[in-house]
Amino acid sequence: MAENFDIYQTPLNSRYCSTEMKHLFSPRNRFSTWRKLWLWLAEAEMELGLDGISEEAIVQMREHVEIRDDEFAVAAEEEKRRRHDVMAHVHTFGLTAPKAAGIIHLGATSCYVTDNADLIFLRDGLDILLPKLATVIQKLADFALDNKDLPCLGYTHGQPAQLVTVGKRTCLWIQDLLMDLRNIERAHDDLRFRGVKGTTGTQASFLALFAGDHRKVKELDSLVTGKANFDSIHSAYQISSQTYSRKVDFDVLSALGSFGATCQRIGADIRHLAMLKEMEEPFETDQIGSSAMAYKRNPMRSERLCSLGRYLTNLPKNAADTYASQWFERTLDDSAIRRICIPEAYLCADACLILLNNASNTARFIYSTLNPSQICSGLVLYPALIQRRINQELPFMATENIIMALTAKGISRQDAHEEIRVLSQMAARNVKVNGGENDLIDRVRNTSFFEPIIGQLDKLLDPKTFIGRAPEQVAEFILGEVGSLSEKEIVDMTEKELAQLKKGEVELALQKYLYLITDAKTENLQV
């Protein structure tokens, strides 16, 4: 018990990640995977008629393929003596499977187990991440459709700009996440197995074992690759050195690092919207925002998302430097850094996805009649405050519409421009100097020059007339980019059909990702 509190643990392991991802990179899974690789090699060698491998040896290896608790101490003591982790585990496995002791690791080099195991972990880790990412996209797609026509103030250069909608802004996040999904899927599909290649990748040791029979050596490579579930698509690399190319690590971590940048972007947007009081992340009933300021509702999930995303974004540099630093067939300066940066990249991505899944649960609307503290999951929108912020800026945005309406009544465009300019300056002064509300429209209503268009003002100021095609863009994007409908089918949809779009259709539209979601584990989503 003392070791849990007296020895450093990475917060990725102790605070942020799912059990399944922590298990994937655990010592038990790593060394048990080594044993599986030794078993697969021995099975394949026996199947190809290599002498000296008995059925009894294979049975003992199968029975002890998962390393027991007491064997960790045996391996640690042997490694202390031999200064070689792989040989320490060859020895330990041989003790528990004595009939196989003489044939474990036959013809192999250390990278047969270390590199092949790492490739299995890279693949299986992406299999964990992809369903979670697809689930985030699905949730945000639902959210975007629900809010496709809810106007909100746009911002460029950090300053108020033309109106957009909440759903349209959400689609910016989804579009970037779709890029991440495609990048990670591509990295996953490009992964291959190192296979059975020998000390420098020439398969010389196995050629010697099989008395120069090239066909059997190739078949051995193929058999072991199949046992590791690297199929015809994910076959073994034909060329390797002692290791698989470290560019593979750089490729995979680059996809994860790019996702980390997306996390920073989304987290920052949510934090800014929380600052403006337009949107909040989930805030639980008993949650404390500040130890001193009891009223605070700090966006701690989004801040953590930015923090972890920043760390993840920077990890690919380690993989790039490691790849670039390799000499010829292999140098061992890749080992220590890979033990750290590869698991951390996966754990960090997993932690980010847990946060995104938590934050992107179905959003709730908070109106003045409800208590915001009742909402403890999902993004929270405050439509009244969103509208208030629009009201502060919309009168200025509507000036061009007012000028055009006056011109349509036969009034000089220049006269209209001057009248609205003067009133706008007065309203701006009231806001900036006096701290008052934007009273431009009241000034317009009380100025006789604008009497011809007073009856049109409400229509001219309707926020929905300032959002362009945002609602249609959201629907087209979700069904076209996220979903499976063709571009022609979207174009042929009437405005009424788009308006009637329901969340159930989004689930159908995401069918090309359903294979990722089917077995998704959503453990620890309530963080």
Side-chain angles (χ1 to χ4, degrees):
M1 212 33 197
E3 65 180 3
N4 293 330
F5 300 104
D6 296 332
I7 296 176
Y8 172 78
Q9 290 188 26
T10 169
L12 286 170
N13 189 48
S14 61
R15 293 178 66 89
Y16 301 138
C17 299
S18 66
T19 300
E20 57 187 340
M21 190 63 81
K22 288 186 284 189
H23 172 72
L24 180 65
F25 291 100
S26 68
R28 190 183 307 281
N29 190 51
R30 178 172 297 278
F31 300 133
S32 295
T33 302
W34 287 8
R35 290 187 175 189
K36 289 177 184 177
L37 285 158
W38 283 318
L39 170 63
W40 296 334
L41 178 61
E43 287 176 337
E45 288 172 336
M46 186 176 72
E47 289 169 24
L48 291 171
L50 192 64
D51 293 334
I53 302 175
S54 67
E55 183 62 39
E56 191 175 6
I58 298 296
V59 169
Q60 284 190 355
M61 293 175 76
R62 286 175 183 159
E63 289 176 347
H64 299 283
V65 76
E66 181 167 319
I67 187 170
R68 302 189 311 268
D69 289 356
D70 60 289
E71 292 178 287
F72 283 101
V74 175
E77 187 62 33
E78 186 68 14
E79 183 176 354
K80 187 185 297 184
R81 176 168 168 247
R82 302 294 185 182
R83 309 303 300 173
H84 198 290
D85 56 348
V86 173
M87 287 307 296
H89 280 273
V90 168
H91 171 78
T92 305
F93 197 15
L95 291 177
T96 195
K99 294 294 184 181
I103 56 92
I104 293 172
H105 202 66
L106 183 59
T109 186
S110 296
C111 285
Y112 166 70
V113 288
T114 57
D115 273 39
N116 280 323
D118 283 343
L119 288 164
I120 290 171
F121 301 152
L122 290 175
R123 178 197 63 191
D124 293 353
L126 296 183
D127 284 336
I128 292 172
L129 296 176
L130 282 166
K132 295 181 180 182
L133 179 52
T135 301
V136 170
I137 292 170
Q138 184 181 34
K139 289 179 179 180
L140 287 175
D142 291 346
F143 176 66
L145 285 172
D146 283 344
N147 299 286
K148 67 181 186 297
D149 53 5
L150 178 62
C152 64
L153 202 58
Y155 290 90
T156 59
H157 308 275
Q159 303 300 310
Q162 189 72 30
L163 299 189
V164 295
T165 68
V166 172
K168 170 68 164 52
R169 179 177 285 147
T170 304
C171 286
L172 297 176
W173 305 344
I174 297 172
Q175 182 167 251
D176 293 346
L177 289 170
L178 283 170
M179 292 182 195
D180 294 320
L181 184 65
R182 286 190 287 268
N183 289 341
I184 295 171
E185 282 184 318
R186 198 270 314 150
H188 174 277
D189 292 346
D190 282 353
L191 280 173
R192 300 169 85 175
F193 201 52
R194 178 189 177 274
V196 180
K197 296 297 194 293
T199 55
T200 57
T202 66
Q203 298 178 305
S205 59
F206 296 103
L207 197 60
L209 279 177
F210 287 99
D213 191 330
H214 288 261
R215 182 190 62 81
K216 284 193 174 182
V217 174
K218 289 178 66 176
E219 194 170 349
L220 176 70
D221 202 358
S222 179
L223 282 171
V224 175
T225 300
K227 290 176 184 290
N229 290 323
F230 280 82
D231 54 24
S232 58
I233 297 176
H234 304 88
S235 58
Y237 295 108
Q238 287 188 316
I239 297 296
S240 78
S241 60
Q242 187 173 97
T243 70
Y244 67 84
S245 173
R246 297 309 183 221
K247 198 172 183 71
V248 173
D249 298 338
F250 181 33
D251 188 41
V252 173
L253 265 63
S254 293
L256 297 181
S258 180
F259 167 65
T262 304
C263 293
Q264 292 183 74
R265 163 67 197 275
I266 294 173
D269 277 359
I270 295 174
R271 290 164 64 195
H272 281 109
L273 290 169
M275 182 176 68
L276 297 172
K277 302 189 185 331
E278 294 186 13
M279 177 190 287
E280 288 181 349
E281 64 181 36
F283 197 90
E284 299 174 21
T285 304
D286 295 327
Q287 183 174 330
I288 295 173
S290 168
S291 62
M293 295 168 278
Y295 58 88
K296 294 198 74 178
R297 295 168 67 92
N298 298 335
M300 62 90 173
R301 290 176 176 84
S302 301
E303 290 173 316
R304 186 189 307 163
L305 182 64
C306 288
S307 184
L308 292 171
R310 187 182 312 136
Y311 188 74
L312 179 56
T313 302
N314 283 284
L315 283 175
K317 180 67 164 57
N318 291 331
D321 289 344
T322 299
Y323 162 66
S325 298
Q326 287 298 285
W327 300 355
F328 306 116
E329 278 63 53
R330 197 269 170 97
T331 54
L332 196 60
D333 60 320
D334 66 342
S335 179
I337 193 169
R338 292 178 68 255
R339 291 174 191 254
I340 298 169
C341 73
I342 292 176
E344 284 193 348
Y346 276 77
L347 292 168
C348 202
D350 184 61
C352 289
L353 283 166
I354 290 171
L355 289 166
L356 283 170
N357 265 297
N358 178 242
S360 61
N361 283 336
T362 302
R364 305 296 183 88
F365 292 87
I366 302 299
Y367 298 95
S368 59
T369 56
L370 297 180
N371 180 358
S373 67
Q374 294 175 346
I375 307 303
C376 61
S377 66
L379 292 172
V380 181
L381 289 173
Y382 293 92
L385 284 171
I386 293 173
Q387 183 61 49
R388 179 182 177 186
R389 194 164 296 279
I390 290 174
N391 293 342
Q392 290 173 344
E393 303 294 338
L394 189 60
F396 294 138
M397 297 180 189
T399 55
E400 184 68 16
N401 288 2
I402 292 173
I403 291 172
M404 293 300 100
L406 287 167
T407 302
K409 296 289 186 180
I411 297 172
S412 165
R413 188 265 178 197
Q414 277 63 39
D415 291 344
H417 182 278
E418 179 61 18
E419 289 287 338
I420 200 71
R421 184 191 69 80
V422 171
L423 295 186
S424 295
Q425 295 294 329
M426 295 169 64
R429 180 177 177 81
N430 184 53
V431 172
K432 296 176 181 178
V433 177
N434 300 329
E437 296 294 329
N438 187 335
D439 60 359
L440 174 59
I441 300 306
D442 289 337
R443 294 176 187 272
V444 168
R445 292 183 190 278
N446 294 325
T447 302
S448 59
F449 179 85
F450 297 95
E451 187 173 341
I453 53 92
I454 293 299
Q456 298 176 242
L457 279 178
D458 288 343
K459 183 178 181 180
L460 294 173
L461 289 165
D462 182 357
K464 292 190 176 182
T465 65
F466 290 83
I467 59 176
R469 295 192 67 254
E472 290 77 15
Q473 287 178 335
V474 171
E476 292 165 6
F477 171 73
I478 296 300
L479 292 178
E481 295 289 329
V482 181
S484 60
L485 292 183
S486 70
E487 183 176 350
K488 181 180 183 302
E489 288 173 312
I490 294 169
V491 171
D492 289 344
M493 290 178 72
T494 67
E495 188 171 335
K496 182 178 180 181
E497 287 172 329
L498 290 172
Q500 292 175 340
L501 198 62
K502 302 298 182 183
K503 286 193 290 186
E505 292 172 289
V506 179
E507 295 174 6
L508 175 64
L510 275 164
Q511 61 184 333
K512 66 180 178 181
Y513 298 126
L514 288 183
Y515 79 96
L516 300 172
I517 301 171
T518 302
D519 298 321
K521 298 177 182 178
T522 54
E523 179 183 7
N524 293 340
L525 294 191
Q526 299 298 323
V527 177

